[in-house]
């Protein structure tokens, strides 16, 4: 019988997806946590933003679960993690909005030799981020805009704390593999000057493994309807593959590996 650290601690979980191939390397179990301080206008999981379990019509979004209950789900695929070099990915919402719950899940996974990845905006105090880092193999950090004005306009908050936290990783002796992700939203942040700023900034990160540019998509629109919320970017097209490659080439002037 495996001992589970902090097993009775409760958190709010949106959902758990098994066998994902999109959220890190290999086959992964993705635990989506609820609660996010940002309000990105293109957010594909608007049901993750509220910190509470949410009801809209016949749908219920999220449930309270203990660390022990989540770990039982994660362990179901332990064998596949080792075969596929996959593992656990914590995503959101924003994982840093439930730092103790996140820490307990990461610690348990690592104690059981399960590879760990997180998807985060880094929008939190450094005091919440630093204790998590020794338990993470790969950190996917979103840098949605370099321009603080655009970040405020389209995500609801300024980005200075995100930039500061990314730079603070330079002071660490050991840091997770760092991947910076930027969504490309045509007409909003695909301007070469904005992308050059992203590239220049990422080139300053000592622990950077690579940058990923992700094409904007509208996958969450049906959920906005269910929640009775407007989707403000309905007029924005998904970027074509050649547009994405042009954006990557701008960032490649500063960063060696851009995917
Ligand atoms: S940070 Fe992620 S979860 Fe939060 S609003 Fe933005 S896209 Fe949605």
């Amino acid at each position: 019988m495996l001992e589970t650290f902090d097993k009775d601690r409760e958190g709010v979980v949106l959902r758990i997806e098994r066998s994902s191939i999109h959220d890190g390397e290999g086959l992964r179990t993705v635990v989506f946590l609820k609660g996010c301080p940002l309000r990105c206008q293109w957010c594909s999981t608007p049901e993750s933003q509220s910190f509470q379990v949410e009801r809209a019509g016949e749908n219920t979004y999220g449930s309270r679960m203990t660390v022990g209950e989540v770990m039982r789900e994660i362990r179901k695929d332990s064998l596949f993690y080792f075969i596929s070099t996959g593992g656990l990915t914590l995503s959101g919402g924003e994982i840093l909005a439930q730092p103790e719950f996140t820490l307990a899940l990461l610690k348990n996974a690592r104690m059981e030799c399960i590879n760990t990845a997180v998807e985060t905006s880094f929008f939190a105090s450094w005091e919440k981020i630093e204790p998590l880092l020794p338990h993470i193999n790969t950190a996917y950090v979103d840098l949605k805009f370099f321009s603080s004005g655009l970040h405020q306009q389209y995500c609801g908050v300024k980005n200075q704390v995100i930039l500061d936290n990314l730079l603070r990783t330079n002071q660490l002796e050991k840091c997770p593999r760092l991947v910076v992700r930027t969504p490309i939203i045509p007409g909003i942040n695909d301007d070469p000057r904005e992308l050059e700023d992203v590239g220049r900034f990422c080139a300053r990160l000592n622990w950077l493994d690579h940058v990923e540019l992700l094409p904007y998509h509208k996958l969450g629109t049906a959920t906005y309807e269910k929640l009775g919320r407007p989707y403000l970017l309905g007029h924005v097209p998904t970027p074509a593959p050649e547009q994405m490659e042009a954006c990557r080439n701008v960032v490649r002037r500063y960063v060696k590996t851009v995917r």
Side-chain angles (χ1 to χ4, degrees):
M1 186 73 178
L2 287 164
E3 285 281 323
T4 305
F5 165 76
D6 212 6
K7 69 178 170 37
D8 296 324
R9 181 177 292 282
E10 275 198 352
V12 187
V13 175
L14 175 64
R15 64 175 180 271
I16 299 176
E17 282 180 16
R18 292 168 61 189
S19 306
S20 168
I21 51 167
H22 301 294
D23 300 276
E25 292 177 356
L27 279 182
R28 308 199 74 89
T29 295
V30 188
V31 180
F32 293 89
L33 303 186
K34 257 179 87 63
C36 182
L38 275 64
R39 288 293 176 271
C40 307
Q41 290 188 8
W42 62 88
C43 179
S44 61
T45 53
E47 74 278 26
S48 73
Q49 293 172 351
S50 160
F51 290 76
Q52 317 297 334
V53 175
E54 204 174 2
R55 288 185 182 83
E58 293 174 352
N59 302 298
T60 300
Y61 298 106
S63 59
R64 295 195 70 82
M65 292 180 78
T66 64
V67 168
E69 288 168 335
V70 178
M71 285 309 299
R72 269 199 292 282
E73 289 301 306
I74 293 168
R75 285 181 196 122
K76 286 180 182 169
D77 284 330
S78 294
L79 184 62
F80 297 109
Y81 305 146
F82 293 112
I83 294 171
S84 71
T85 62
L88 166 68
T89 299
L90 295 184
S91 187
E94 174 49 64
I95 61 155
L96 300 169
Q98 300 186 59
E100 294 90 1
F101 191 66
T102 295
L103 178 64
L105 293 175
L106 290 171
K107 265 193 179 179
N108 280 302
R110 289 288 291 262
M111 279 180 340
E112 296 175 28
C113 299
I114 296 172
N115 178 282
T116 58
V118 298
E119 296 175 327
T120 172
S121 69
F122 254 24
F123 187 82
S125 66
W126 182 247
E127 288 65 37
K128 285 185 181 160
I129 295 173
E130 194 175 18
L132 305 179
L133 297 177
H135 310 286
I136 298 171
N137 291 103
T138 305
Y140 296 90
V141 182
D142 282 1
L143 177 57
K144 298 158 199 294
F145 301 95
F146 182 78
S147 153
S148 197
L150 287 177
H151 205 280
Q152 168 89 61
Q153 184 179 348
Y154 288 99
C155 302
V157 296
K158 291 194 182 345
N159 66 358
Q160 195 56 51
V161 66
I162 297 169
L163 300 176
D164 289 348
N165 285 333
L166 278 165
L167 285 176
R168 285 186 87 153
T169 61
N170 282 353
Q171 297 162 11
L172 298 171
E173 279 183 21
K174 200 164 182 310
C175 181
R177 183 174 163 258
L178 203 57
V179 179
V180 171
R181 281 176 166 168
T182 300
I184 295 298
I185 309 162
I188 295 178
N189 71 345
D190 58 346
D191 180 288
R193 277 170 304 183
E194 169 69 14
L195 293 171
E196 287 202 343
D197 285 342
V198 168
R200 252 192 299 267
F201 177 80
C202 289
R204 296 169 62 194
L205 302 174
N206 297 347
W207 294 97
L208 183 78
D209 188 80
H210 66 274
V211 171
E212 289 181 2
L213 301 188
L214 307 175
Y216 161 78
H217 60 72
K218 300 181 193 180
L219 287 182
T221 44
T223 314
Y224 282 84
E225 272 178 39
K226 285 183 195 160
L227 292 170
R229 288 172 48 182
Y231 184 74
L232 300 175
L233 298 186
H235 59 288
V236 176
T238 297
E242 54 274 20
Q243 277 175 282
M244 289 301 299
E245 202 45 27
C247 293
R248 289 189 184 99
N249 284 336
V250 175
V251 181
R252 279 184 189 122
R253 292 176 200 155
Y254 304 93
V255 174
K256 194 167 141 216
T257 309
V258 183
R259 294 180 186 156

